[in-house]
Amino acid sequence: MIFRRLGAAAAAAAALAFASPAFAVTEIQWWHAMTGANNDVIVKLANDFNVAQSDYKVIPTYKGGYADTMNAGIAAFRAGNAPHIMQVFEVGTATMMAATGAVKPVYKLMADAGEKFDPSVYLPAITGYYSTSKGEMLSFPFNSSSTVMWVNLDALKKANIAEIPKTWPQVFDDAKKLKAAGYATCGFSGSWVTWVNLEQLSAWHNVPLASKANGLDGFDTVLEFNGPLQVKHLENLVELQKDKTYDYAGRTNTGEGRFTSGECPIYLTSSAFFGNVKAQAKFNFTAAPMPYYPDVKGAPQNSIIGGASLWVMGGKSAEEYKGVAKFLTFLSDTDRQIWIHKASGYLPITKAAYAKAKEEGFYKDQPYLETPLLELTNKEPTANSRGLRLGNMVQLRDMWSEEIEQALAGKKTAKQALDAAVERGNQMLRQFEKTAVR
Amino acid sequence: MQKQAIFQSKLLPYALVAPQLAIVLIFFYWPAVQAVIQSFLLQDAFGLSTSFVWFENYLELFKEPAYFAAIVRTFAFSFAIAASSLSFALLLAVMADRPLRGSTLYRTLLIWPYAVAPPVVGVLWVFMLHPSLGVLSRYLRGMGIDWNPLLNGDQAAALIILAAAWKQISYNFLFFLAGLQSIPKSVIEAAAIDGARPMRRFWTVIFPLLSPTIFFLLVINIVYAFFDTFGIIDTMTRGGPGKATETLVYKVYTDGLLGGNLGSSAAQSVILMAIVVVLTGIQFRFVERKVTY
């Protein structure tokens, strides 16, 4: 990596030497939250860009986890030295969007910089999350994933289950069979309890999570996830928790080891879990689409994304913005997107990249890597499945998790818990609305 | 006539305390004042829109039943953590104070946990007592106990108290040991000659002579339980399940840093600061009287 960096520096220095004397390289700061192999992806992208041209230099900096990176960016902005590009996880979208003036919307950036930019080349299921309801792209999707159902195929065989369950009732039945076949402590489970069981569940069944297209059309949104479908689903989980057919695995992804260790044979979590599964699972596995309730008309709809996008911060010079715009164009390149897709396991963001990866036969040996894409593009997104944008999302999720935990522990009924989650969440949304810049 | 001041110049003493004063001003008073100011403001995370709202942030807090629950919970946690870590540390210190073969080794081993950072303590205990990953939870399950701190709030609370107390034991142990070793042997020997049995010697001679140490540790432990348990809670339960382990400090963090609601977070910090000031005041006013130096 040091050599690569030196190479880039040498290239930049050489470029400088040949350029006119008054010329200077414009530096572009890129703050991100990627570690391990994904950090290498980021470093390589920046270096490739720096070598490819001589006017701009992208400098990537690791700033900790998603929340840390965002807090660091916000603190830097308050201190007057924000980076040019900041990687923000999907739940931070509303906070970033509410900060008019602190961020420069991508569609505007591209227009101002005179870069060729056509929003229709991107996968709408991915860009929809980061666009206004008018289709204006606010941030640039970088790493996207979705919820899939990871299945331990050896376990299914052991329990004499012929095919992978497609619907929730099938999952419940199969989990009972699995439990009888020796998976006594956990028939099925999942991470990110609210993402899987409220947010994705609602989108997948085309029912609203909140009014105003789940908040995409305005901050005066009201939560609506205490409807019959969500209540029924939580009631099912509560019932199954009693004998551990379902076993709650925590609010975040700390329980994911229960799948790879073989304890939970069916596990719903992000498609980005792939790297760990591949490295640790000592059994045959696959990633199937999320289950659905067959009695819901039109289900399944399409899933929504997780992951992060790149936000361009406000208050920079036109020259700097030109460089940022060029960098985003550079990232949109089809071959580059395919490379990112293969190197990181995250989804390609353009239609062309997806088509080309398919053509190349990338999904032939590993069909399950296409599962999240098939889910996202299953149907044309509706107001209920385009995405969601709620202020203080990190805290909202904790609040909803608290209520779900109360229901699973038997302290509240499913209906009481979801009603309370909606009511408390609405209070928080009103609080957020008060502080959002108008 | 003898001159009062030892210093030749009038400015020198001020110059000498200036660094200390500067540090206190910059790292304590300035942030404290900032917190008070912030608590009167309603502001978005980026600081783009600010409005002055007087006491609205405080009033909102007092309307929230969860806030009172967090106050009660914090006091209960502090009491449990301080009581268990102090008593257990005293027991260990008394045992390690006896002439034993290899007592230095025991002492060193007992001091180790203090070097562990709170989040690491959290992770450590998670590995032992996580419902599915934990080694100890398998034994608990084997004994027929439905151990699941992810859903059972009481178990989660017990887990936090256990981990927090465990970490503090070494610190308390260190001070207790030093305190015990500073008690003159002649006093204890005199009591023994008078026919006092070990338990009586401990309660009537050693314990009162140890009271300054106990008092000091009590203050330190309460402050520790109030503020330093944050890392343990964050890695182990994130305030859950439900709100079973959400203490005041953890709420300040979730509302301010995760929620971006700086006004409310600042108001909570100010209240927290007031609670600690009052608590320390009470301890010095009433408890200290019972202390013999």
Side-chain angles (χ1 to χ4, degrees), chain A residues 12-34:
Chain A
L16 259 180
F18 289 109
S20 60
F23 179 84
V25 174
T26 307
E27 290 193 349
I28 292 161
Q29 299 292 338
W30 179 16
W31 288 8
H32 66 88
M34 302 273 89

Side-chain angles (χ1 to χ4, degrees), chain A residues 198-218:
Chain A
L198 286 179
E199 298 159 38
Q200 294 284 24
L201 179 89
S202 302
W204 199 227
H205 293 85
N206 195 18
V207 294
L209 184 87
S211 67
K212 296 245 164 184
N214 292 340
L216 262 69
D217 286 353

Side-chain angles (χ1 to χ4, degrees), chain A residues 78 263 392 395 402 405 424 435, chain B residues 43 45 49 132 241-242 255 259:
Chain A
R78 290 179 80 117
E263 191 199 354
N392 283 352
Q395 231 186 337
E402 281 169 21
E405 283 164 358
R424 292 175 60 198
T435 58
Chain B
Q43 200 177 47
S49 75
S132 59
D255 289 357

Side-chain angles (χ1 to χ4, degrees), chain A residues 71 74 77-78 96 99-100 102 241 248 251-252 258 263 392 395 398 402 405 408-409 424 431 434-435 437, chain B residues 42-49 56 132 146 148 150-151 238 240-243 254-255 257-259 261-262:
Chain A
N71 288 327
I74 290 172
F77 178 82
R78 290 179 80 117
M96 296 303 289
T100 317
Q241 172 72 52
Y248 179 64
R251 294 178 188 181
T252 63
R258 302 180 72 175
E263 191 199 354
N392 283 352
Q395 231 186 337
D398 267 339
E402 281 169 21
E405 283 164 358
L408 290 172
R424 292 175 60 198
Q431 168 82 33
K434 261 195 272 180
T435 58
V437 183
Chain B
L42 197 59
Q43 200 177 47
D44 71 299
F46 284 88
L48 293 165
S49 75
E56 198 182 302
S132 59
D146 184 21
N148 191 358
L150 285 179
L151 283 179
R238 288 167 51 103
K243 277 190 176 299
T254 50
D255 289 357
L257 222 59
L258 295 181
N261 187 353
L262 296 174

Side-chain angles (χ1 to χ4, degrees), chain A residues 102-118:
Chain A
V103 297
K104 175 117 179 160
V106 163
Y107 77 95
K108 226 174 180 168
L109 169 95
M110 296 306 238
D112 289 357
E115 270 303 300
K116 216 179 98 198
F117 179 65
D118 178 8

Side-chain angles (χ1 to χ4, degrees), chain B residues 193-214:
Chain B
I193 291 165
D194 285 348
R197 317 201 109 248
M199 280 303 266
R200 194 169 164 81
R201 287 208 296 270
F202 178 77
W203 287 115
T204 55
V205 179
I206 299 174
F207 193 78
L209 284 172
L210 212 55
S211 61
T213 313
I214 296 171

